[in-house]
Amino acid sequence: MLRRVRQSLRQVLFLMARRPDLLCGAIVLGVLLVLAVKFTCSRAKNVVAAARPPVRFFSPDAPVVDLYLGQLDQVERLRSVAEVSFIFFYAPWCAHSMAARQEVQQVAKKLAKQVQFVAVNCWWSQGKCRRQNHFYHYPVIHLFYRRFGPIEYRGPFVAPYMESFVLRVITPLTYLPSRAHVEEFLTYHEPRVVGFFQFNSSPQPPGYITFLSSALQALKWDFRGVIRFGVVTNKQVAGAISLTEDETVFLHRRFNSSLIFPRNDLNFTSEAICRWVFENHETVLQWLQPPGTKSRLLEEELTKGPALLLFVPHNPLGTQPSPVLQQVADIAVRYHSCDNSHHSSWDKSFSFRSLCCQSVVLPQSSTSVCEVCLSLSWPSFTTSPLHCLFPSSIQGGDVFQTYLRRCCLHQIPSPVSINSATSMGCSNFLDSYSPFSQYSACCRKVEPQLNESQAKEESEMQSVPPSLIPPFSVPQPEGDGITGLRCQTNRTLRFYVLDVALNWPLAVRLGASGNRSASFDQEDDRSDDGSFAAIVNLKDEVHYVLQYTPAATLTESLEAFIRNFSAPYSLLQRHLVGEEDKKGAEEKARRSDEHSQSTPRFLITELTTSSFLPSVMDLQKDVLLFYYTQWCGFCSVLNHIIIQLARLLQGNGTITVARVNVARNDLPWEFMVDHVPSILFFPRYRKHLSVKFPDNLPITLPNLLRFILQHSGSLHHAHKPSVETEGPGHSAFLRSEFLTLQREVQALHHARERLSQQLAQLWRDNRRLKFDTRALETENSELQRERQSLEEQHREKSRQLSEVVRRLQELADASENLLNENTLLRVLLRVLKDRTEAREQAEVERKETEQKRSHMAS
């Protein structure tokens, strides 16, 4: 072993003596490596700056506990001691969170005594909220009712809506102490659920807690709270809806039989009750609340079929629905009422109708009679007597000047269409809206009385069987044209209601007036109460806007709107939405003073939805129409060609070059194209013979000029309307046509001169481009030579660098070997040194021992 160490030491010393440069290179390389690592580490510490500590998000005077450090454990502690908790998760940088902050403060100031408001910063990286929750958006609102939750609020971040939702969580059940309250609770159009629980045996029966949890579960599934839950504790009151057993859940339905929760088949749990209610409830009017961000809520609803969108004013904090919403709900209920026999037995026993009628001869026609009936609906258990109480306005005849003129007179058929002895038309109107009263007006034509001979002659002339003659009877609600219409047409409507204050931009896009404070003087797309209605048929890509008239009420306008849409051949006109015609006034001024030199003339006329038909269908103009969109790249490439064409035809007053942006302007179907860019030509006097520019031809200036000259209306003047072919006017017409042709020839000469000038300029430009091309080719050849020389230099440098790298690698390997051998030599030297010292120590000890022996011997 010692011999091997000595040999290795000798080899290391021999190598170091022969090549000392390897050792020096290894030492220098190691020092450089240490310096580079130290410099890199020192720079990496200063790259990322420390995040600033968060600050309070809410003002100190707001009744909101602001946990701006993300202390989620504090949230659990505060929630455990509160009855209802409002948790607001926010990000300090989020604009939506900043906007919702003021709204939350308003709600907190009103409900601070009932609800615990907590705000949590869920963006602070060192907070517990950020580590445990991963929200995709901010802010997020969670509500807790004792231990039940979280109930997420997904509505608009507006104070009234949030306050309404919090109040619904505070009182999820409505207490119904009497039959009158039950009647009022079940009158509204929303689905209603009633639970019967007796509190005699215990303060809170076990089923009551489950029913309360099911109401909260319904809010968790549907934050809008469409389904309302009520509770009855009196057995006599429960008997009004045929509930006799304790812990019974009753689902009220209008069009089908009402249901009772089957406790024998399903478990009596909150989730089971909630799922049963959502599977079996009836919805006639649905609220839509788009969140205001990217969402497919509206698309998902519109793809289900034609939809009637009603934008109405809405107050979420109102105790009673607005009259407008009540009228809309009444129309929706009657629209879905296909068969009264399907109604629940409780609905039939709950109310009955009484009709009180008065007949009046209309002053406009002596043969017209109108009968007004007051339809009353009262609870069956009421004890008050019924009276036919007509208002004084009806008895005095004022109502006929208003309602009957627009509801009844226009429905009287003309004498030409009368084939029977009696004909009748009916309509409904509301004097003051009430769910228990409604007026019906029916008008009929009364034929004059005939004697026996006249009656015999009349009977011989008539061929209509008497059984087909409609008798005049008391009008029923089913005869208003709306009741049961859902089951009588294939164009079924779905009713949706939106808050006009929150969704006004959507209404404007559908065609509502941009100014919400506009006056209500003439026919408008808004009613006097600010509502707006439109029918959207996404499958057919059409929508219709309800046009209100001052003489009609909202109910009458909506009923006529729905009837016209449901008709096999609808009379509704497709509503076209386009850009504001900003150049309309300038275009009118230019047309009114066409011969004035001071009026500016545009090269290309920009058309909109409103100005499309008047401009294109002008019989005195040849119109070349260019279809484009702002996102079409090919359309942008063709702009310079259209501008050059307009400049060439600038001196011709009979040809108009126009364009229309089909992405922002709706056009009638007959004027739409299947792709862009497209060019159509509408010749004058022959607009029905419009021609499309061939798709197989390139869109160039010569091709466009040839296309215009080929189909121009001036070359085919024989089809001009109202032209005398004979007589003295014929020569005048020929002279005018000759002058027109002469002016067109002159215009063509001017166009030819302009083309010649442009061709000469193009020839000069082409010659200059050739010289530039030669110069560029020379420079290109020089650059190619320089490139080759640079490539050779690059290859040489690469070879040299590879050689240097190889040498550095050898140096590094040798240095590593030397370091290993040096370490080994150190070890060997240490071993030799230790052995030498041991031998010397042994020699000294031996000498001392000998001295002691000699001393002992002496």
Side-chain angles (χ1 to χ4, degrees):
M1 182 68 182
L2 183 61
R3 185 178 300 174
R4 291 181 180 178
V5 172
R6 289 178 180 177
Q7 290 179 358
S8 300
L9 182 61
R10 290 175 183 176
Q11 292 179 358
V12 170
L13 294 176
F14 179 73
L15 290 173
M16 292 178 63
R18 289 187 59 184
R19 302 185 64 180
D21 55 341
L22 293 177
L23 181 60
C24 295
I27 294 173
V28 171
L29 185 62
V31 171
L32 292 176
L33 181 62
V34 171
L35 291 176
V37 172
K38 184 176 180 180
F39 180 74
T40 305
C41 295
S42 63
R43 287 292 303 275
K45 295 179 181 179
N46 301 327
V47 170
V48 180
R52 296 180 180 180
V55 296
R56 287 185 61 89
F57 188 69
F58 285 83
S59 59
D61 58 342
V64 180
V65 180
D66 193 354
L67 304 178
Y68 56 90
L69 295 177
Q71 306 100 309
L72 205 59
D73 50 353
Q74 297 291 333
V75 176
E76 299 295 333
R77 182 182 63 81
L78 294 172
R79 189 171 62 83
S80 61
V81 298
E83 184 78 10
V84 178
S85 303
F86 183 98
I87 315 299
F88 181 75
F89 299 98
Y90 67 90
W93 52 265
C94 177
H96 296 285
S97 301
M98 297 178 186
R101 174 173 51 187
Q102 300 296 332
E103 308 294 333
V104 173
Q105 289 182 1
Q106 294 181 18
V107 178
K109 290 179 181 179
K110 293 183 179 180
L111 305 176
K113 296 182 179 180
Q114 307 177 47
V115 182
Q116 176 67 58
F117 288 85
V118 182
V120 186
N121 183 359
C122 234
W123 186 256
W124 175 240
S125 58
Q126 301 178 10
K128 189 176 181 180
C129 182
R130 177 68 183 274
R131 293 194 298 267
Q132 293 188 4
N133 297 317
H134 302 282
F135 296 118
Y136 293 98
H137 61 88
Y138 290 98
V140 177
I141 296 178
H142 287 172
L143 275 87
F144 292 86
Y145 183 89
R146 297 176 182 175
R147 295 184 178 275
F148 185 88
I151 306 174
E152 184 178 357
Y153 173 73
R154 297 185 295 273
F157 294 103
V158 183
Y161 279 90
M162 290 191 291
E163 183 179 352
S164 174
F165 184 75
V166 174
L167 292 176
R168 289 292 307 276
V169 175
I170 294 175
T171 57
L173 298 178
T174 302
Y175 177 58
L176 306 175
S178 63
R179 291 193 172 189
H181 288 83
V182 173
E183 170 199 343
E184 183 181 1
F185 182 73
L186 299 179
T187 300
Y188 299 104
H189 65 278
E190 297 98 341
R192 301 294 169 129
V193 181
V194 180
F196 173 48
F197 301 94
Q198 293 185 0
F199 286 75
N200 299 329
S201 58
S202 62
Q204 288 186 351
Y208 174 77
I209 303 299
T210 304
F211 187 67
L212 176 65
S213 302
S214 64
L216 295 171
Q217 189 76 21
L219 286 176
K220 188 175 182 180
W221 289 6
D222 184 9
F223 72 96
R224 291 178 294 269
V226 175
I227 303 176
R228 302 297 181 97
F229 288 74
V231 60
V232 176
T233 60
N234 192 319
K235 190 172 184 180
Q236 285 74 17
V237 176
I241 52 177
S242 303
L243 297 183
T244 58
E245 297 183 2
D246 190 15
E247 298 183 6
T248 303
V249 178
F250 172 81
L251 174 61
H252 173 59
R253 300 196 299 180
R254 291 179 176 271
F255 312 118
N256 296 285
S257 300
S258 299
L259 300 178
I260 295 179
F261 182 77
R263 302 193 60 172
N264 297 330
D265 300 333
L266 300 176
N267 296 328
F268 195 78
T269 60
S270 59
E271 293 186 359
I273 294 175
C274 193
R275 187 179 299 106
W276 173 75
V277 169
F278 274 88
E279 289 177 355
N280 296 280
H281 79 284
E282 296 173 340
T283 302
V284 297
L285 195 63
Q286 183 176 351
W287 275 95
L288 283 183
Q289 293 180 356
T293 57
K294 290 184 177 180
S295 173
R296 302 188 65 180
L297 173 64
L298 195 61
E299 180 186 359
E300 291 175 357
E301 296 297 334
L302 293 181
T303 52
K304 297 178 182 179
L308 175 62
L309 303 181
L310 295 135
F311 297 82
V312 298
H314 179 59
N315 182 17
L317 299 177
T319 57
Q320 297 293 335
S322 63
V324 176
L325 185 59
Q326 287 181 341
Q327 296 181 47
V328 173
D330 178 70
I331 295 174
V333 169
R334 288 190 286 115
Y335 178 82
H336 289 82
S337 299
C338 296
D339 189 0
N340 289 334
S341 62
H342 291 168
H343 291 188
S344 62
S345 60
W346 180 84
D347 290 338
K348 294 179 181 179
S349 62
F350 187 77
S351 63
F352 66 93
R353 294 190 175 272
S354 173
L355 295 174
C356 306
C357 303
Q358 289 185 2
S359 299
V360 176
V361 178
L362 297 181
Q364 284 80 0
S365 176
S366 60
T367 61
S368 298
V369 175
C370 188
E371 188 172 46
V372 180
C373 295
L374 174 61
S375 177
L376 300 176
S377 177
W378 297 94
S380 60
F381 50 80
T382 182
T383 58
S384 60
L386 299 178
H387 301 284
C388 296
L389 299 177
F390 282 87
S392 59
S393 59
I394 295 182
Q395 296 176 359
D398 294 338
V399 71
F400 300 110
Q401 301 298 328
T402 56
Y403 292 106
L404 301 183
R405 181 173 299 174
R406 63 176 180 268
C407 300
C408 191
L409 294 181
H410 72 279
Q411 296 188 11
I412 299 176
S414 60
V416 179
S417 61
I418 296 177
N419 296 325
S420 61
T422 306
S423 60
M424 181 177 59
C426 300
S427 62
N428 298 319
F429 62 90
L430 302 174
D431 181 56
S432 60
Y433 184 78
S434 172
F436 304 110
S437 63
Q438 184 179 11
Y439 294 105
S440 298
C442 284
C443 298
R444 59 173 176 171
K445 279 281 188 178
V446 179
E447 297 297 330
Q449 297 293 332
L450 303 178
N451 53 28
E452 296 181 0
S453 60
Q454 292 175 343
K456 185 177 180 179
E457 295 177 358
E458 186 71 18
S459 60
E460 292 177 357
M461 295 176 61
Q462 291 181 349
S463 59
V464 180
S467 59
L468 297 180
I469 300 177
F472 181 72
S473 59
V474 176
Q476 298 295 331
E478 290 79 9
D480 57 0
I482 290 296
T483 304
L485 187 58
R486 176 178 177 270
C487 302
Q488 301 173 11
T489 178
N490 291 329
R491 309 179 72 182
T492 305
L493 276 176
R494 306 174 70 89
F495 289 73
Y496 297 97
V497 184
L498 297 93
D499 191 349
V500 68
L502 298 179
N503 303 280
W504 184 248
L506 175 60
V508 172
R509 292 187 61 184
L510 290 175
S513 175
N515 186 11
R516 293 184 59 188
S517 61
S519 61
F520 183 69
D521 297 331
Q522 298 177 354
E523 290 191 1
D524 195 3
D525 49 19
R526 296 176 297 106
S527 66
D528 51 0
D529 54 12
S531 60
F532 170 78
I535 293 178
V536 180
N537 191 349
L538 198 62
K539 182 180 180 181
D540 296 341
E541 298 182 1
V542 295
H543 76 281
Y544 311 96
V545 174
L546 173 60
Q547 299 294 336
Y548 295 95
T549 56
T553 61
L554 175 63
T555 301
E556 296 167 355
S557 301
L558 275 178
E559 289 181 356
F561 190 44
I562 296 172
R563 285 195 299 266
N564 290 334
F565 175 78
S566 303
Y569 301 97
S570 177
L571 300 177
L572 298 178
Q573 297 295 328
R574 171 175 171 246
H575 186 77
L576 303 178
V577 180
E579 295 177 318
E580 294 293 335
D581 194 6
K582 300 179 180 178
K583 299 181 181 179
E586 300 178 0
E587 186 70 17
K588 290 180 181 179
R590 183 183 63 82
R591 290 183 179 180
S592 62
D593 195 9
E594 196 172 27
H595 301 285
S596 177
Q597 299 296 331
S598 60
T599 304
R601 180 180 177 86
F602 300 99
L603 288 177
I604 301 176
T605 304
E606 187 73 25
L607 301 181
T608 60
T609 302
S610 57
S611 63
F612 180 81
L613 288 178
S615 300
V616 171
M617 303 308 291
D618 188 0
L619 294 178
Q620 304 297 328
K621 298 288 185 180
D622 290 321
V623 181
L624 182 75
L625 184 59
F626 176 60
Y627 292 82
Y628 78 100
T629 59
Q630 69 274 10
W631 45 261
C632 174
F634 298 101
C635 303
S636 302
V637 172
L638 297 176
N639 280 337
H640 71 283
I641 299 178
I642 303 300
I643 293 174
Q644 290 181 8
L645 177 65
R647 286 177 179 174
L648 289 176
L649 301 176
Q650 188 175 5
N652 193 338
T654 60
I655 299 179
T656 301
V657 180
R659 69 173 187 172
V660 59
N661 188 347
V662 293
R664 296 181 178 178
N665 296 277
D666 292 341
L667 302 179
W669 293 122
E670 59 269 20
F671 294 100
M672 288 298 295
V673 293
D674 55 353
H675 66 277
V676 288
S678 293
I679 297 176
L680 268 68
F681 185 76
F682 297 87
R684 59 174 178 169
Y685 309 136
R686 299 177 297 110
K687 297 298 181 179
H688 61 286
L689 299 178
S690 59
V691 185
K692 183 181 179 182
F693 187 82
D695 295 333
N696 56 357
L697 286 180
I699 302 178
T700 59
L701 187 60
N703 289 340
L704 286 176
L705 285 174
R706 192 178 298 109
F707 175 70
I708 293 174
L709 294 176
Q710 180 181 357
H711 302 284
S712 177
S714 60
L715 300 180
H716 304 276
H717 57 269
H719 298 283
K720 179 178 178 181
S722 301
V723 175
E724 298 179 1
T725 57
E726 295 180 359
H730 183 61
S731 60
F733 169 71
L734 291 178
R735 180 176 178 82
S736 63
E737 288 296 323
F738 176 75
L739 294 176
T740 303
L741 289 175
Q742 192 175 17
R743 286 194 298 269
E744 292 182 356
V745 170
Q746 292 177 0
L748 290 176
H749 283 302
H750 291 307
R752 186 180 63 179
E753 292 177 358
R754 293 197 187 105
L755 282 176
S756 301
Q757 294 175 1
Q758 292 181 3
L759 289 175
Q761 183 64 26
L762 289 174
W763 181 81
R764 288 192 293 270
D765 294 342
N766 188 21
R767 187 174 179 81
R768 185 173 63 256
L769 288 174
K770 286 183 179 180
F771 287 114
D772 294 341
T773 303
R774 293 177 182 175
L776 289 175
E777 289 178 353
T778 304
E779 293 178 0
N780 188 22
S781 59
E782 294 178 357
L783 290 175
Q784 290 292 338
R785 289 193 294 270
E786 293 180 0
R787 177 185 175 184
Q788 293 177 359
S789 62
L790 289 175
E791 288 179 352
E792 293 177 358
Q793 294 178 6
H794 176 71
R795 286 194 294 269
E796 182 64 23
K797 294 295 183 181
S798 300
R799 187 183 60 78
Q800 293 177 1
L801 286 174
S802 60
E803 183 66 22
V804 170
V805 170
R806 185 182 59 79
R807 293 182 179 179
L808 288 175
Q809 185 65 33
E810 292 179 355
L811 180 62
D813 296 341
S815 300
E816 185 177 359
N817 293 333
L818 288 176
L819 290 174
N820 295 333
E821 293 177 355
N822 188 17
T823 303
L824 183 60
L825 287 176
R826 289 181 180 179
V827 173
L828 294 176
L829 288 175
R830 184 64 182 175
V831 171
L832 291 176
K833 185 177 179 180
D834 293 342
R835 288 185 178 183
T836 303
E837 291 177 354
R839 289 179 181 179
E840 292 178 355
Q841 185 67 24
E843 185 67 21
V844 171
E845 291 178 355
R846 188 179 59 79
K847 289 181 180 181
E848 291 179 355
T849 304
E850 289 179 354
Q851 290 178 0
K852 288 181 180 181
R853 289 178 180 178
S854 61
H855 181 72
M856 293 291 296
S858 62

XYZ file of all heavy atoms in Angstrom, residues 602-643:
344
model
N -69.908 63.858 -52.493
C -69.065 62.787 -52.015
C -68.790 61.804 -53.155
O -69.661 61.522 -53.975
C -69.750 62.065 -50.854
C -70.041 62.961 -49.687
C -71.306 63.489 -49.498
C -69.038 63.280 -48.783
C -71.579 64.315 -48.427
C -69.306 64.105 -47.706
C -70.570 64.626 -47.527
N -67.560 61.287 -53.175
C -67.216 60.303 -54.204
C -68.012 59.016 -54.007
O -68.569 58.465 -54.945
C -65.716 60.015 -54.158
C -64.787 61.130 -54.661
C -63.337 60.714 -54.488
C -65.076 61.452 -56.122
N -68.051 58.526 -52.763
C -68.738 57.265 -52.452
C -69.800 57.566 -51.396
O -69.515 58.189 -50.373
C -67.748 56.196 -51.941
C -66.679 55.922 -52.998
C -68.481 54.912 -51.584
C -65.621 54.957 -52.547
N -71.009 57.127 -51.642
C -72.123 57.343 -50.717
C -72.168 56.190 -49.721
O -72.283 55.023 -50.110
C -73.455 57.430 -51.480
O -73.354 58.463 -52.463
C -74.591 57.730 -50.533
N -72.061 56.530 -48.435
C -72.137 55.521 -47.377
C -73.601 55.320 -47.012
O -74.283 56.237 -46.564
C -71.344 55.973 -46.153
C -71.226 54.924 -45.068
C -70.281 53.797 -45.424
O -69.379 54.033 -46.253
O -70.440 52.690 -44.886
N -74.098 54.094 -47.211
C -75.501 53.788 -46.962
C -75.674 53.128 -45.600
O -74.785 52.402 -45.131
C -76.055 52.865 -48.052
C -76.001 53.394 -49.494
C -76.614 52.383 -50.443
C -76.705 54.728 -49.613
N -76.816 53.378 -44.990
C -77.211 52.738 -43.745
C -78.558 52.048 -43.944
O -79.107 52.030 -45.046
C -77.300 53.765 -42.609
O -78.265 54.756 -42.945
C -75.952 54.435 -42.371
N -79.076 51.480 -42.874
C -80.358 50.785 -42.979
C -81.479 51.724 -43.397
O -82.334 51.368 -44.215
C -80.693 50.132 -41.631
O -79.640 49.227 -41.274
C -81.993 49.363 -41.706
N -81.472 52.928 -42.855
C -82.556 53.858 -43.161
C -82.430 54.479 -44.551
O -83.435 54.767 -45.206
C -82.598 54.959 -42.105
O -81.350 55.628 -42.049
N -81.206 54.683 -45.010
C -81.011 55.327 -46.316
C -80.782 54.337 -47.457
O -80.526 54.761 -48.584
C -79.817 56.284 -46.246
O -78.623 55.577 -45.960
N -80.877 53.039 -47.184
C -80.556 52.054 -48.211
C -81.590 52.071 -49.337
O -81.256 52.279 -50.514
C -80.454 50.661 -47.583
C -80.119 49.581 -48.566
C -78.815 49.377 -48.968
C -81.106 48.765 -49.094
C -78.502 48.372 -49.883
C -80.803 47.775 -49.999
C -79.496 47.577 -50.393
N -82.850 51.833 -48.999
C -83.890 51.745 -50.036
C -84.077 53.054 -50.797
O -84.183 53.038 -52.034
C -85.200 51.288 -49.407
C -85.255 49.812 -48.979
C -86.586 49.496 -48.323
C -85.023 48.894 -50.164
N -84.147 54.227 -50.140
C -84.293 55.458 -50.930
C -83.157 55.700 -51.901
O -83.377 56.248 -52.991
C -84.355 56.554 -49.853
C -84.843 55.867 -48.634
C -84.256 54.497 -48.695
N -81.946 55.296 -51.553
C -80.806 55.543 -52.442
C -80.714 54.505 -53.550
O -80.481 54.836 -54.720
C -79.503 55.560 -51.630
O -79.531 56.573 -50.654
N -80.875 53.246 -53.193
C -80.705 52.178 -54.185
C -81.862 52.148 -55.170
O -81.671 51.912 -56.369
C -80.536 50.821 -53.466
C -80.571 49.673 -54.464
C -79.229 50.791 -52.702
N -83.090 52.399 -54.700
C -84.265 52.303 -55.552
C -84.619 53.629 -56.232
O -85.745 53.792 -56.716
C -85.464 51.819 -54.717
C -85.237 50.480 -54.025
S -84.682 49.168 -55.132
C -86.164 48.939 -56.097
N -83.700 54.554 -56.305
C -83.927 55.807 -57.029
C -83.968 55.522 -58.531
O -82.962 55.110 -59.126
C -82.814 56.801 -56.684
C -83.095 58.185 -57.248
O -84.146 58.358 -57.897
O -82.256 59.088 -57.039
N -85.123 55.741 -59.158
C -85.290 55.393 -60.574
C -84.425 56.231 -61.492
O -84.167 55.829 -62.633
C -86.763 55.545 -60.961
C -87.744 54.578 -60.295
C -89.165 54.892 -60.738
C -87.395 53.140 -60.626
N -83.976 57.377 -61.045
C -83.201 58.258 -61.912
C -81.700 58.011 -61.814
O -80.923 58.744 -62.431
C -83.487 59.724 -61.532
C -84.958 60.105 -61.586
C -85.518 59.989 -62.984
O -84.799 60.200 -63.970
N -86.802 59.652 -63.091
N -81.289 57.023 -61.051
C -79.869 56.796 -60.823
C -79.503 55.346 -61.129
O -80.261 54.419 -60.816
C -79.500 57.105 -59.362
C -79.733 58.556 -58.934
C -78.715 59.485 -59.559
C -78.899 60.911 -59.023
N -77.929 61.841 -59.621
N -78.322 55.184 -61.741
C -77.662 53.879 -61.814
C -76.789 53.748 -60.571
O -75.902 54.583 -60.335
C -76.807 53.758 -63.068
C -77.652 53.668 -64.325
O -78.690 53.001 -64.270
O -77.263 54.276 -65.345
N -77.013 52.717 -59.777
C -76.331 52.567 -58.491
C -75.440 51.336 -58.540
O -75.912 50.229 -58.817
C -77.343 52.446 -57.333
C -76.609 52.326 -55.995
C -78.278 53.649 -57.314
N -74.152 51.567 -58.287
C -73.193 50.464 -58.115
C -72.958 50.323 -56.616
O -72.401 51.215 -55.971
C -71.891 50.756 -58.838
C -70.843 49.637 -58.744
C -71.220 48.486 -59.661
C -69.453 50.148 -59.092
N -73.375 49.192 -56.042
C -73.351 48.991 -54.598
C -72.253 47.999 -54.235
O -72.186 46.894 -54.793
C -74.710 48.473 -54.115
C -74.876 48.298 -52.608
C -74.665 49.617 -51.891
C -76.254 47.729 -52.286
N -71.421 48.413 -53.276
C -70.290 47.608 -52.810
C -70.586 47.149 -51.384
O -70.734 47.967 -50.474
C -69.004 48.441 -52.871
C -67.788 47.743 -52.318
C -67.346 46.555 -52.879
C -67.086 48.268 -51.249
C -66.232 45.911 -52.384
C -65.967 47.634 -50.746
C -65.536 46.452 -51.315
N -70.704 45.824 -51.174
C -70.952 45.243 -49.863
C -69.606 44.952 -49.194
O -68.742 44.279 -49.786
C -71.747 43.943 -49.978
C -73.166 44.118 -50.447
C -73.470 44.246 -51.800
C -74.214 44.153 -49.545
C -74.778 44.399 -52.234
C -75.531 44.298 -49.963
C -75.798 44.424 -51.307
O -77.088 44.574 -51.729
N -69.460 45.409 -47.934
C -68.198 45.195 -47.225
C -68.485 45.099 -45.724
O -69.599 45.353 -45.252
C -67.218 46.336 -47.502
C -67.509 47.602 -46.722
C -66.802 47.911 -45.574
C -68.522 48.485 -47.121
C -67.075 49.056 -44.846
C -68.797 49.626 -46.402
C -68.072 49.906 -45.265
O -68.343 51.039 -44.542
N -67.462 44.705 -44.991
C -67.478 44.714 -43.520
C -66.140 45.230 -43.029
O -65.146 45.227 -43.765
C -67.723 43.312 -42.939
O -66.689 42.422 -43.402
C -69.072 42.763 -43.353
N -66.107 45.666 -41.771
C -64.871 46.220 -41.237
C -63.823 45.153 -40.951
O -62.638 45.463 -40.841
C -65.166 47.022 -39.955
C -65.583 46.177 -38.766
C -67.059 45.900 -38.759
O -67.760 46.173 -39.730
N -67.553 45.345 -37.657
N -64.251 43.880 -40.815
C -63.290 42.820 -40.524
C -62.834 42.076 -41.785
O -62.047 41.117 -41.688
C -63.903 41.821 -39.549
C -65.303 41.400 -39.865
C -66.438 41.872 -39.320
C -65.707 40.408 -40.840
N -67.537 41.253 -39.867
C -67.115 40.346 -40.807
C -65.025 39.589 -41.724
C -67.847 39.498 -41.616
C -65.761 38.742 -42.546
C -67.144 38.704 -42.476
N -63.303 42.454 -42.961
C -62.967 41.761 -44.209
C -61.680 42.355 -44.776
O -61.634 43.539 -45.148
C -64.122 41.887 -45.207
S -63.758 41.215 -46.839
N -60.639 41.533 -44.857
C -59.378 42.011 -45.410
C -59.427 42.246 -46.907
O -58.818 43.192 -47.420
N -60.150 41.405 -47.651
C -60.266 41.580 -49.098
C -61.011 42.876 -49.438
O -60.722 43.516 -50.446
C -60.977 40.377 -49.722
C -60.256 39.080 -49.533
C -60.639 38.173 -48.578
C -59.152 38.774 -50.328
C -59.965 36.979 -48.403
C -58.478 37.579 -50.159
C -58.881 36.689 -49.197
N -61.978 43.250 -48.576
C -62.693 44.506 -48.816
C -61.752 45.702 -48.700
O -61.847 46.662 -49.484
C -63.848 44.645 -47.822
S -65.035 43.278 -47.866
N -60.848 45.661 -47.752
C -59.896 46.766 -47.600
C -58.950 46.853 -48.795
O -58.553 47.954 -49.203
C -59.087 46.572 -46.308
O -59.952 46.499 -45.187
N -58.610 45.699 -49.375
C -57.727 45.708 -50.544
C -58.411 46.361 -51.741
O -57.761 47.037 -52.557
C -57.292 44.266 -50.878
C -56.529 44.207 -52.193
C -56.441 43.703 -49.751
N -59.731 46.209 -51.853
C -60.461 46.739 -53.009
C -60.875 48.195 -52.846
O -61.492 48.760 -53.758
C -61.710 45.894 -53.259
C -61.477 44.423 -53.616
C -62.812 43.708 -53.736
C -60.694 44.304 -54.915
N -60.551 48.816 -51.720
C -61.006 50.194 -51.499
C -60.424 51.152 -52.530
O -61.115 52.048 -53.034
C -60.639 50.644 -50.087
C -61.610 50.113 -49.053
O -62.757 49.789 -49.367
N -61.164 50.003 -47.822
N -59.139 50.992 -52.874
C -58.523 51.944 -53.814
C -59.127 51.808 -55.219
O -59.234 52.789 -55.958
C -57.013 51.727 -53.852
C -56.601 50.451 -54.537
N -56.707 49.211 -53.943
C -56.101 50.238 -55.786
C -56.275 48.279 -54.767
N -55.901 48.866 -55.892
N -59.577 50.590 -55.581
C -60.211 50.406 -56.891
C -61.563 51.115 -56.918
O -61.920 51.774 -57.907
C -60.344 48.907 -57.211
C -58.955 48.251 -57.261
C -61.093 48.691 -58.509
C -58.998 46.768 -57.511
N -62.327 50.985 -55.840
C -63.637 51.651 -55.787
C -63.457 53.168 -55.797
O -64.235 53.900 -56.438
C -64.404 51.187 -54.537
C -64.555 49.655 -54.523
C -65.774 51.844 -54.481
C -65.290 49.103 -55.707
N -62.428 53.667 -55.126
C -62.190 55.122 -55.112
C -61.805 55.608 -56.507
O -62.266 56.659 -56.982
C -61.109 55.461 -54.068
C -61.638 55.176 -52.662
C -60.684 56.920 -54.185
C -60.604 55.341 -51.575
